[in-house]
Amino acid sequence: MSQRQRFFMMIAICLGAFLSHFTAGIVNVSLPQFTYIFQTELAIAQWITTGYLLVIASLLPFMGKLGDRYGHRVLHNYGFLLFTVSSVLVAFSTTITMLLALRIVQAIGAAMFQATNIALIAILLPKEMRGRAMGIMSTAVALGGMTGPIAGGMIASWLSWEWLFLIHVPVAILATGLAFRYIPSHEQTKKVSSLDLVGAGLFMLLVSLIIIAISNGNGWGWASQGMLILFGGVLVLVWAFVWWERRQSVPFLPVAVFRLSAVSSGLFISFTSFVLANLVLVVLPFYLLNQAHESPLTAGYMMTAYPLLLALTGPFSGWASDRYRARPLIFAGLGAMGVGVTVLAIWLEALSTVEIIAVLALIGAGMGLIASPNNSYIMRHVPLEHAGAIGGMIALTRNAGMVVGAALGLGMMNGESSQAVQPTIDAYRAVFEAGGLICLIGLFVWWYAGRLERQKKRGAEVEKA
């Protein structure tokens, strides 16, 4: 592959990573507006965002598996096409039902290229370039998540609602053209003999129920009848999925790969880091507005310190992981995030505006040190025939971690959402103390996984001797 082709391939992949997170957040500000436009309830309008994220999260491993079977390029590029066409069609919706249906189609397209982009980088780029490439992609993800709500607010103020779904279409068309032109086809290393559709369906239902339960726990009440039914359904699906998978010669999830400590610990760190980051990102704005009495504009500017440092640190950490070891970078990133939440837990009231920005920057830099080295580290240990499935699982841990972090933070801060009393400073401290505990668990798991790897290497050396 020439340098020019590699350059434009990365632009296409990064534009996809940007767009999928940009479109996830662009609608949030305008949800109340949709209740008036389509004469519906807010509980239904919220599914414009919730349904989009739920469909993506539940389909990621399945789409990764399809990429392993039929080709990652095929899934990735046709996902772009489906995403682009549905983005145009959703803007012409005449009813809320039509809008939600087309939004689901858009989410299916986004899941197709989200699940396969990491696999494409791992397969098509030389080993010494993968970390930097994944760092650049992490920057695109951060920028998409940061600019989506900002663009949504501007469109809500100045333009009609249709532009929420049309504003990104020119970029999507460009990305689609670049993907078909510059992402090369590649031979599959192994053709899977069969696709476990029953296992895939059970896993998608399981992920959907877990995310619905976590997302609604604070609103419904964790001990409410609806939540108990959902948790009962989760237990039944877990049992059914395990029972079915044990009887399959080619199970939906590559169990043998998950037995590798590098893969299982890497996925755990991916999940943990996004729980920690989203816990801070969801809760801290409430403190800035209600306790520090910052204006919404000032609070918004302060919060951008996190994605900016993530965007700056990501490519550097990816480059460093290509040349040096990834494990120390990930350990340092977890440590930086842990220091940040510990500072918030102990000195929150005493921190000035500049100091809060510095803490957010530290947490963002820590996340930047984790994301791309961890993704590269996981994929380095994955057989190529499972690259799509594990790439989809990485994306799933990212989405699931964000959902769990938000639910945990809001739940600890407010209890049930029906409470009108503003959270006390002790409630905010409790959230950040929980974040510190989560970080300690992550550090221990990462240390222990490294210990297991070192023991395995010593054992292999002894056998050779």
Side-chain angles (χ1 to χ4, degrees):
M1 192 191 308
S2 67
Q3 187 174 352
R4 182 173 184 271
Q5 184 178 8
R6 194 179 292 136
F7 173 77
F8 283 111
M9 181 191 81
M10 280 304 302
I11 287 181
I13 290 174
C14 289
L15 285 177
F18 172 87
L19 286 173
S20 62
H21 289 80
F22 178 86
T23 51
I26 194 171
V27 181
N28 293 349
V29 178
S30 298
L31 286 177
Q33 183 182 354
F34 282 103
T35 62
Y36 300 109
I37 294 170
F38 292 104
Q39 295 298 301
T40 189
E41 299 175 359
L42 182 60
I44 295 175
Q46 284 176 338
W47 281 95
I48 299 172
T49 296
T50 305
Y52 179 83
L53 295 173
L54 183 63
V55 170
I56 290 177
S58 61
L59 285 178
L60 283 169
F62 179 66
M63 292 301 179
K65 195 78 172 180
L66 288 181
D68 290 333
R69 183 178 176 85
Y70 298 110
H72 307 105
R73 179 184 185 272
V74 172
L75 263 288
H76 183 274
N77 292 1
Y78 281 99
F80 264 150
L81 196 60
L82 184 63
F83 177 86
T84 304
V85 171
S86 59
S87 295
V88 175
L89 294 177
V90 74
F92 293 95
S93 300
T94 55
T95 64
I96 189 67
T97 303
M98 183 179 176
L99 191 151
L100 289 173
L102 288 169
R103 183 74 163 160
I104 288 172
V105 176
Q106 187 186 40
I108 293 171
M112 290 169 72
F113 58 77
Q114 264 199 53
T116 49
N117 52 20
I118 291 177
L120 284 171
I121 290 173
I123 291 170
L124 296 175
L125 291 184
K127 188 178 294 187
E128 63 273 11
M129 297 181 65
R130 290 174 193 166
R132 182 173 58 175
M134 290 184 187
I136 295 170
M137 193 179 73
S138 297
T139 297
V141 169
L143 292 175
M146 178 178 68
T147 56
I150 295 172
M154 294 171 66
I155 291 170
S157 300
W158 301 330
L159 301 171
S160 63
W161 69 268
E162 289 87 351
W163 286 101
L164 293 168
F165 305 101
L166 294 174
I167 193 72
H168 61 271
V169 168
V171 179
I173 292 172
L174 172 64
T176 304
L178 290 174
F180 276 97
R181 174 69 179 83
Y182 289 104
I183 297 179
S185 57
H186 58 281
E187 291 185 6
Q188 298 303 100
T189 57
K190 180 182 178 182
K191 290 290 182 182
V192 179
S193 57
S194 62
L195 185 62
D196 179 14
L197 292 176
V198 175
L202 288 171
F203 189 77
M204 284 188 280
L205 281 173
L206 177 61
V207 171
S208 299
L209 275 190
I210 290 172
I211 291 177
I212 290 171
I214 292 171
S215 301
N216 292 286
N218 295 326
W220 296 359
W222 291 100
S224 66
Q225 184 179 3
M227 290 302 297
L228 293 176
I229 291 172
L230 280 177
F231 284 132
V234 167
L235 291 175
V236 170
L237 283 172
V238 168
W239 175 85
F241 180 71
V242 172
W243 178 86
W244 177 263
E245 290 292 279
R246 283 180 173 175
R247 284 155 178 78
Q248 305 307 305
S249 57
V250 184
F252 173 64
L253 293 180
V255 179
V257 178
F258 288 111
R259 291 196 184 108
L260 298 171
S261 62
V263 175
S264 55
S265 63
L267 290 172
F268 181 81
I269 292 303
S270 177
F271 173 77
T272 301
S273 61
F274 277 98
V275 169
L276 190 58
N278 227 40
L279 183 143
V280 173
L281 294 176
V282 167
V283 170
L284 194 57
F286 286 93
Y287 170 79
L288 294 175
L289 294 172
N290 298 327
Q291 297 282 344
H293 304 295
E294 302 285 358
S295 69
L297 184 62
T298 301
Y301 283 137
M302 292 171 69
M303 295 302 296
T304 58
Y306 170 86
L308 282 175
L309 263 292
L310 170 58
L312 290 171
T313 313
F316 164 76
S317 66
W319 169 84
S321 70
D322 286 333
R323 283 155 179 77
Y324 310 105
R325 295 173 58 216
R327 292 193 64 86
L329 290 169
I330 298 167
F331 202 87
L334 277 172
M337 296 183 80
V339 169
V341 293
T342 301
V343 169
L344 292 175
I346 298 174
W347 294 293
L348 182 60
E349 283 178 290
L351 295 177
S352 66
T353 299
V354 173
E355 288 167 339
I356 291 176
I357 291 172
V359 170
L360 280 167
L362 179 64
I363 295 172
M367 190 65 178
L369 288 172
I370 294 170
S372 52
N374 189 45
N375 293 346
S376 180
Y377 179 77
I378 293 170
M379 297 306 292
R380 196 178 302 138
H381 293 83
V382 173
L384 290 183
E385 64 265 24
H386 296 304
I390 301 303
M393 287 300 297
I394 292 173
L396 174 60
T397 58
R398 179 175 66 234
N399 286 273
M402 292 167 68
V403 171
V404 171
L408 179 64
L410 292 174
M412 291 187 67
M413 182 180 66
N414 290 330
E416 296 194 10
S417 60
S418 58
Q419 291 179 331
V421 180
Q422 286 188 3
T424 63
I425 193 68
D426 290 334
Y428 290 109
R429 280 201 182 118
V431 171
F432 299 128
E433 286 169 1
L437 179 61
I438 290 168
C439 191
L440 280 176
I441 293 170
L443 286 167
F444 173 78
V445 168
W446 195 239
W447 168 81
Y448 187 71
R451 186 166 174 253
L452 290 178
E453 279 194 34
R454 288 191 295 272
Q455 289 176 349
K456 187 177 178 181
K457 284 181 182 178
R458 289 195 199 104
E461 289 171 0
V462 169
E463 286 181 7
K464 286 181 181 179

